[in-house]
Amino acid sequence: MNAQALFDLLAAAKAECGHVDYVVVGSVSVLGMSEVCAIPAGMTVSIDADCYTLTDPPRVFELQAQLGEGSAYHRLHGIYLDPVSPKLPTLPDGWQQRLIRIARGGVTAHFLEPNDAAVSKLARAEPRDLRWVRAGISAGLVSLLMLKLRMRSTDFLDAQEQVAALRAIDALALPAGEAEN
């Protein structure tokens, strides 16, 4: 997915529900950096945009049929909106103040700052999330030191999630082949 495709999707969401402000979390949140740098392909492979409406988060779930997975929009454009709750991602303190705001085509996207998105991905600790974080580190969009610092102010879902995130960040410090074994 690229920034234009995302903004086209958000414009379609606006046409359906009238909301103009969306918070973009997950993999495509890195597109908030697209106006200042090239985004590595390994960070933009997702075809779904995890987001919610800024002022009325539950409202985004009404868009599932029109813009979600399997919708006509998905079949036509190859991407879809994945409605999420603002409580879904595990994020460090202060993430709201670091949102990257971009207005285009009558909608505004509020993107997670890449290090905040990476903390959320480390909390999930799935292989695809670790690949995303590693690509961000390689491209200089994510800082291992900043991740360690932000993880100290993260309210994890539970102890298991925190342990998984700490293991994941330790694995990132290892060479790529060694970390995946």
Side-chain angles (χ1 to χ4, degrees):
M1 187 178 309
N2 62 38
Q4 188 57 52
L6 174 64
F7 277 97
D8 290 346
L9 176 61
L10 296 180
K14 174 189 171 190
E16 293 290 336
C17 74
H19 282 272
V20 297
D21 286 287
Y22 297 86
V23 178
V24 181
V25 300
S27 296
V28 299
S29 65
V30 74
L31 295 175
M33 299 298 291
S34 65
E35 293 190 353
V36 295
C37 68
I39 308 299
M43 296 182 84
T44 60
V45 296
S46 182
I47 62 168
D48 65 308
D50 299 333
C51 66
Y52 58 90
T53 51
L54 181 66
T55 58
D56 185 11
R59 186 84 188 271
V60 76
F61 292 98
E62 296 174 13
L63 300 172
Q64 180 67 43
Q66 298 89 358
L67 302 173
E69 186 172 18
S71 67
Y73 191 94
H74 179 200
R75 290 189 303 276
L76 181 63
H77 299 282
I79 63 171
Y80 63 93
L81 184 131
D82 191 5
V84 298
S85 165
K87 296 178 182 182
L88 174 69
T90 297
L91 295 166
D93 288 345
W95 67 271
Q96 296 98 332
Q97 290 77 31
R98 292 186 292 271
L99 287 170
I100 299 164
R101 183 180 177 274
I102 299 176
R104 188 186 295 176
V107 294
T108 301
H110 303 262
F111 298 94
L112 287 180
E113 188 275 334
N115 289 291
D116 291 334
V119 167
S120 178
K121 292 194 159 294
L122 290 170
R124 289 173 42 140
E126 293 181 8
R128 67 182 175 180
D129 295 313
L130 298 180
R131 284 191 297 274
W132 187 94
V133 174
R134 191 177 299 283
I137 291 170
S138 294
L141 292 170
V142 174
S143 161
L144 194 56
L145 293 175
M146 185 61 67
L147 291 177
K148 290 179 179 182
L149 183 63
R150 291 210 181 145
M151 286 180 74
R152 294 175 63 194
S153 69
T154 300
D155 186 20
F156 290 94
L157 179 64
D158 54 28
Q160 184 178 356
E161 185 182 63
Q162 184 174 15
V163 167
L166 293 171
R167 284 186 183 144
I169 202 164
D170 287 343
L172 289 172
L174 300 172
E178 196 175 329
E180 293 170 6
N181 290 335

PDB file of all heavy atoms in Angstrom, residues 95-113:
ATOM      1  N   TRP A  95       2.063   8.589  23.118  1.00  0.00           N
ATOM      2  CA  TRP A  95       1.948   8.319  21.682  1.00  0.00           C
ATOM      3  C   TRP A  95       1.008   9.297  20.980  1.00  0.00           C
ATOM      4  O   TRP A  95       1.250   9.670  19.836  1.00  0.00           O
ATOM      5  CB  TRP A  95       1.522   6.871  21.432  1.00  0.00           C
ATOM      6  CG  TRP A  95       0.125   6.532  21.889  1.00  0.00           C
ATOM      7  CD1 TRP A  95      -0.242   6.077  23.119  1.00  0.00           C
ATOM      8  CD2 TRP A  95      -1.074   6.637  21.123  1.00  0.00           C
ATOM      9  NE1 TRP A  95      -1.607   5.882  23.164  1.00  0.00           N
ATOM     10  CE2 TRP A  95      -2.132   6.221  21.950  1.00  0.00           C
ATOM     11  CE3 TRP A  95      -1.353   7.040  19.821  1.00  0.00           C
ATOM     12  CZ2 TRP A  95      -3.459   6.214  21.516  1.00  0.00           C
ATOM     13  CZ3 TRP A  95      -2.673   7.023  19.393  1.00  0.00           C
ATOM     14  CH2 TRP A  95      -3.695   6.605  20.232  1.00  0.00           C
ATOM     15  N   GLN A  96      -0.043   9.747  21.673  1.00  0.00           N
ATOM     16  CA  GLN A  96      -0.992  10.662  21.037  1.00  0.00           C
ATOM     17  C   GLN A  96      -0.319  11.974  20.641  1.00  0.00           C
ATOM     18  O   GLN A  96      -0.642  12.545  19.599  1.00  0.00           O
ATOM     19  CB  GLN A  96      -2.189  10.967  21.955  1.00  0.00           C
ATOM     20  CG  GLN A  96      -3.046   9.777  22.271  1.00  0.00           C
ATOM     21  CD  GLN A  96      -2.697   9.153  23.620  1.00  0.00           C
ATOM     22  OE1 GLN A  96      -1.558   9.228  24.101  1.00  0.00           O
ATOM     23  NE2 GLN A  96      -3.674   8.519  24.236  1.00  0.00           N
ATOM     24  N   GLN A  97       0.609  12.437  21.462  1.00  0.00           N
ATOM     25  CA  GLN A  97       1.291  13.690  21.169  1.00  0.00           C
ATOM     26  C   GLN A  97       2.283  13.549  20.012  1.00  0.00           C
ATOM     27  O   GLN A  97       2.701  14.545  19.435  1.00  0.00           O
ATOM     28  CB  GLN A  97       2.037  14.211  22.411  1.00  0.00           C
ATOM     29  CG  GLN A  97       1.119  14.712  23.507  1.00  0.00           C
ATOM     30  CD  GLN A  97       0.468  13.589  24.302  1.00  0.00           C
ATOM     31  OE1 GLN A  97       1.035  12.526  24.482  1.00  0.00           O
ATOM     32  NE2 GLN A  97      -0.749  13.817  24.761  1.00  0.00           N
ATOM     33  N   ARG A  98       2.642  12.319  19.677  1.00  0.00           N
ATOM     34  CA  ARG A  98       3.607  12.099  18.587  1.00  0.00           C
ATOM     35  C   ARG A  98       2.945  11.707  17.264  1.00  0.00           C
ATOM     36  O   ARG A  98       3.637  11.422  16.286  1.00  0.00           O
ATOM     37  CB  ARG A  98       4.615  11.024  19.005  1.00  0.00           C
ATOM     38  CG  ARG A  98       5.544  11.462  20.135  1.00  0.00           C
ATOM     39  CD  ARG A  98       6.613  10.434  20.420  1.00  0.00           C
ATOM     40  NE  ARG A  98       6.101   9.202  20.981  1.00  0.00           N
ATOM     41  CZ  ARG A  98       5.926   8.951  22.274  1.00  0.00           C
ATOM     42  NH1 ARG A  98       6.224   9.885  23.170  1.00  0.00           N
ATOM     43  NH2 ARG A  98       5.466   7.789  22.694  1.00  0.00           N
ATOM     44  N   LEU A  99       1.618  11.684  17.224  1.00  0.00           N
ATOM     45  CA  LEU A  99       0.942  11.342  15.976  1.00  0.00           C
ATOM     46  C   LEU A  99       1.393  12.282  14.858  1.00  0.00           C
ATOM     47  O   LEU A  99       1.580  13.482  15.076  1.00  0.00           O
ATOM     48  CB  LEU A  99      -0.575  11.427  16.136  1.00  0.00           C
ATOM     49  CG  LEU A  99      -1.231  10.315  16.945  1.00  0.00           C
ATOM     50  CD1 LEU A  99      -2.696  10.656  17.222  1.00  0.00           C
ATOM     51  CD2 LEU A  99      -1.113   8.975  16.248  1.00  0.00           C
ATOM     52  N   ILE A 100       1.544  11.737  13.680  1.00  0.00           N
ATOM     53  CA  ILE A 100       1.937  12.504  12.495  1.00  0.00           C
ATOM     54  C   ILE A 100       0.665  12.793  11.716  1.00  0.00           C
ATOM     55  O   ILE A 100      -0.006  11.882  11.244  1.00  0.00           O
ATOM     56  CB  ILE A 100       2.949  11.706  11.644  1.00  0.00           C
ATOM     57  CG1 ILE A 100       4.198  11.417  12.464  1.00  0.00           C
ATOM     58  CG2 ILE A 100       3.272  12.455  10.359  1.00  0.00           C
ATOM     59  CD1 ILE A 100       5.078  10.320  11.883  1.00  0.00           C
ATOM     60  N   ARG A 101       0.343  14.054  11.578  1.00  0.00           N
ATOM     61  CA  ARG A 101      -0.920  14.481  10.969  1.00  0.00           C
ATOM     62  C   ARG A 101      -0.684  14.915   9.527  1.00  0.00           C
ATOM     63  O   ARG A 101       0.140  15.792   9.266  1.00  0.00           O
ATOM     64  CB  ARG A 101      -1.485  15.639  11.784  1.00  0.00           C
ATOM     65  CG  ARG A 101      -2.807  16.145  11.344  1.00  0.00           C
ATOM     66  CD  ARG A 101      -3.229  17.312  12.254  1.00  0.00           C
ATOM     67  NE  ARG A 101      -4.470  17.880  11.828  1.00  0.00           N
ATOM     68  CZ  ARG A 101      -4.589  18.823  10.911  1.00  0.00           C
ATOM     69  NH1 ARG A 101      -3.524  19.323  10.333  1.00  0.00           N
ATOM     70  NH2 ARG A 101      -5.784  19.284  10.576  1.00  0.00           N
ATOM     71  N   ILE A 102      -1.425  14.276   8.612  1.00  0.00           N
ATOM     72  CA  ILE A 102      -1.346  14.649   7.197  1.00  0.00           C
ATOM     73  C   ILE A 102      -2.768  14.780   6.661  1.00  0.00           C
ATOM     74  O   ILE A 102      -3.571  13.856   6.784  1.00  0.00           O
ATOM     75  CB  ILE A 102      -0.562  13.608   6.370  1.00  0.00           C
ATOM     76  CG1 ILE A 102       0.876  13.486   6.881  1.00  0.00           C
ATOM     77  CG2 ILE A 102      -0.577  13.983   4.883  1.00  0.00           C
ATOM     78  CD1 ILE A 102       1.693  12.407   6.194  1.00  0.00           C
ATOM     79  N   ALA A 103      -3.055  15.931   6.075  1.00  0.00           N
ATOM     80  CA  ALA A 103      -4.353  16.178   5.459  1.00  0.00           C
ATOM     81  C   ALA A 103      -4.191  16.104   3.944  1.00  0.00           C
ATOM     82  O   ALA A 103      -3.249  16.654   3.382  1.00  0.00           O
ATOM     83  CB  ALA A 103      -4.884  17.546   5.871  1.00  0.00           C
ATOM     84  N   ARG A 104      -5.127  15.395   3.315  1.00  0.00           N
ATOM     85  CA  ARG A 104      -5.083  15.263   1.856  1.00  0.00           C
ATOM     86  C   ARG A 104      -6.476  14.850   1.369  1.00  0.00           C
ATOM     87  O   ARG A 104      -7.098  13.976   1.952  1.00  0.00           O
ATOM     88  CB  ARG A 104      -4.049  14.207   1.471  1.00  0.00           C
ATOM     89  CG  ARG A 104      -3.771  14.128  -0.020  1.00  0.00           C
ATOM     90  CD  ARG A 104      -2.868  12.985  -0.389  1.00  0.00           C
ATOM     91  NE  ARG A 104      -1.525  13.131   0.154  1.00  0.00           N
ATOM     92  CZ  ARG A 104      -0.585  12.213   0.013  1.00  0.00           C
ATOM     93  NH1 ARG A 104      -0.836  11.085  -0.634  1.00  0.00           N
ATOM     94  NH2 ARG A 104       0.615  12.391   0.520  1.00  0.00           N
ATOM     95  N   GLY A 105      -6.936  15.485   0.315  1.00  0.00           N
ATOM     96  CA  GLY A 105      -8.195  15.080  -0.306  1.00  0.00           C
ATOM     97  C   GLY A 105      -9.400  15.150   0.606  1.00  0.00           C
ATOM     98  O   GLY A 105     -10.314  14.341   0.485  1.00  0.00           O
ATOM     99  N   GLY A 106      -9.418  16.100   1.523  1.00  0.00           N
ATOM    100  CA  GLY A 106     -10.583  16.267   2.390  1.00  0.00           C
ATOM    101  C   GLY A 106     -10.611  15.383   3.624  1.00  0.00           C
ATOM    102  O   GLY A 106     -11.584  15.409   4.365  1.00  0.00           O
ATOM    103  N   VAL A 107      -9.565  14.579   3.829  1.00  0.00           N
ATOM    104  CA  VAL A 107      -9.474  13.764   5.041  1.00  0.00           C
ATOM    105  C   VAL A 107      -8.129  14.009   5.703  1.00  0.00           C
ATOM    106  O   VAL A 107      -7.171  14.431   5.068  1.00  0.00           O
ATOM    107  CB  VAL A 107      -9.656  12.248   4.758  1.00  0.00           C
ATOM    108  CG1 VAL A 107     -11.057  11.954   4.265  1.00  0.00           C
ATOM    109  CG2 VAL A 107      -8.619  11.733   3.802  1.00  0.00           C
ATOM    110  N   THR A 108      -8.085  13.721   6.991  1.00  0.00           N
ATOM    111  CA  THR A 108      -6.833  13.846   7.734  1.00  0.00           C
ATOM    112  C   THR A 108      -6.516  12.506   8.371  1.00  0.00           C
ATOM    113  O   THR A 108      -7.361  11.914   9.044  1.00  0.00           O
ATOM    114  CB  THR A 108      -6.938  14.934   8.822  1.00  0.00           C
ATOM    115  OG1 THR A 108      -7.257  16.184   8.195  1.00  0.00           O
ATOM    116  CG2 THR A 108      -5.638  15.076   9.586  1.00  0.00           C
ATOM    117  N   ALA A 109      -5.302  12.054   8.140  1.00  0.00           N
ATOM    118  CA  ALA A 109      -4.822  10.822   8.758  1.00  0.00           C
ATOM    119  C   ALA A 109      -3.863  11.208   9.868  1.00  0.00           C
ATOM    120  O   ALA A 109      -3.009  12.079   9.698  1.00  0.00           O
ATOM    121  CB  ALA A 109      -4.123   9.940   7.725  1.00  0.00           C
ATOM    122  N   HIS A 110      -4.022  10.561  10.994  1.00  0.00           N
ATOM    123  CA  HIS A 110      -3.147  10.747  12.149  1.00  0.00           C
ATOM    124  C   HIS A 110      -2.386   9.431  12.296  1.00  0.00           C
ATOM    125  O   HIS A 110      -2.945   8.437  12.761  1.00  0.00           O
ATOM    126  CB  HIS A 110      -3.974  11.047  13.402  1.00  0.00           C
ATOM    127  CG  HIS A 110      -4.858  12.249  13.245  1.00  0.00           C
ATOM    128  ND1 HIS A 110      -4.501  13.487  13.710  1.00  0.00           N
ATOM    129  CD2 HIS A 110      -6.071  12.397  12.650  1.00  0.00           C
ATOM    130  CE1 HIS A 110      -5.463  14.351  13.431  1.00  0.00           C
ATOM    131  NE2 HIS A 110      -6.424  13.711  12.783  1.00  0.00           N
ATOM    132  N   PHE A 111      -1.129   9.430  11.865  1.00  0.00           N
ATOM    133  CA  PHE A 111      -0.320   8.217  11.816  1.00  0.00           C
ATOM    134  C   PHE A 111       0.493   8.036  13.092  1.00  0.00           C
ATOM    135  O   PHE A 111       1.041   9.012  13.620  1.00  0.00           O
ATOM    136  CB  PHE A 111       0.679   8.298  10.655  1.00  0.00           C
ATOM    137  CG  PHE A 111       0.054   8.389   9.302  1.00  0.00           C
ATOM    138  CD1 PHE A 111      -0.170   9.618   8.700  1.00  0.00           C
ATOM    139  CD2 PHE A 111      -0.283   7.244   8.606  1.00  0.00           C
ATOM    140  CE1 PHE A 111      -0.710   9.710   7.425  1.00  0.00           C
ATOM    141  CE2 PHE A 111      -0.827   7.315   7.334  1.00  0.00           C
ATOM    142  CZ  PHE A 111      -1.048   8.547   6.742  1.00  0.00           C
ATOM    143  N   LEU A 112       0.611   6.789  13.545  1.00  0.00           N
ATOM    144  CA  LEU A 112       1.533   6.512  14.639  1.00  0.00           C
ATOM    145  C   LEU A 112       2.945   6.863  14.204  1.00  0.00           C
ATOM    146  O   LEU A 112       3.336   6.604  13.062  1.00  0.00           O
ATOM    147  CB  LEU A 112       1.520   5.025  15.009  1.00  0.00           C
ATOM    148  CG  LEU A 112       0.318   4.469  15.745  1.00  0.00           C
ATOM    149  CD1 LEU A 112       0.531   2.981  16.010  1.00  0.00           C
ATOM    150  CD2 LEU A 112       0.076   5.204  17.049  1.00  0.00           C
ATOM    151  N   GLU A 113       3.709   7.420  15.105  1.00  0.00           N
ATOM    152  CA  GLU A 113       5.137   7.639  14.871  1.00  0.00           C
ATOM    153  C   GLU A 113       5.766   6.245  14.771  1.00  0.00           C
ATOM    154  O   GLU A 113       5.360   5.327  15.488  1.00  0.00           O
ATOM    155  CB  GLU A 113       5.699   8.465  16.038  1.00  0.00           C
ATOM    156  CG  GLU A 113       7.113   8.940  15.862  1.00  0.00           C
ATOM    157  CD  GLU A 113       8.135   7.907  16.284  1.00  0.00           C
ATOM    158  OE1 GLU A 113       7.832   7.054  17.133  1.00  0.00           O
ATOM    159  OE2 GLU A 113       9.240   7.966  15.742  1.00  0.00           O
TER     160      GLU A 113
END
